[in-house]
Amino acid sequence: MKPELKQEMDHMEVQIGQIMRVGVFIAVALMVVGILLVLVKPNTNMNAYTQFTHLDAMFAGMVQLHPLAWLMAGLLMLILTPVLRVVASIFAFAKVHDMIYVWITVAVFAILVVAILYGHSGV
């Protein structure tokens, strides 16, 4: 492997690792806010989690400081972090002209999108 290519791949791995760390940090921060809100608002209905399964309702709940909305946002971020890693990998492999891995990663991304849409449909 050429030294320039190895250096580029090492740089990509560092960037992808940073994406993962930032995503997990944001997810944990959102969930910590949710837990703190549970402690501050102990009478919150914790069985109403289904009302925050759509983005508009989740954001509205976060504005209203509903603990479950913040917890759901943290979980959503935790789920989306590896998906974002896959997207970043597509661009990283394309940058080093590794088309086999570009297509493999595109296939993985397509499977993730289909699974997310299937799960969201409630089927």
Side-chain angles (χ1 to χ4, degrees):
M1 180 182 294
K2 293 181 181 179
E4 302 86 29
L5 185 59
K6 178 161 180 18
Q7 184 179 9
E8 186 68 33
M9 297 208 39
D10 290 344
H11 181 68
M12 288 184 323
E13 288 178 19
V14 169
Q15 287 181 323
I16 290 172
Q18 288 175 337
I19 289 170
M20 297 294 287
R21 280 189 292 279
V22 169
V24 170
F25 177 79
I26 292 170
V28 168
L30 290 168
M31 287 189 263
V32 165
V33 170
I35 291 169
L36 291 174
L37 287 171
V38 167
L39 296 174
V40 172
K41 299 178 168 187
N43 295 330
T44 302
N45 180 7
M46 297 302 285
N47 294 324
Y49 67 91
T50 56
Q51 74 186 39
F52 301 115
T53 55
H54 291 87
L55 289 177
D56 55 345
M58 185 175 57
F59 290 132
M62 290 174 73
V63 170
Q64 297 169 358
L65 298 179
H66 196 288
L68 283 176
W70 285 86
L71 291 169
M72 291 295 280
L75 288 174
L76 178 64
M77 188 65 198
L78 199 60
I79 291 167
L80 290 180
T81 298
V83 175
L84 184 57
R85 184 211 190 285
V86 171
V87 171
S89 296
I90 292 170
F91 291 106
F93 289 129
K95 189 172 183 179
V96 294
H97 306 290
D98 193 343
M99 297 313 289
I100 292 174
Y101 279 103
V102 167
W103 289 114
I104 291 171
T105 312
V106 166
V108 169
F109 181 68
I111 292 168
L112 286 170
V113 168
V114 167
I116 289 169
L117 293 175
Y118 183 75
H120 184 68
S121 71
V123 177

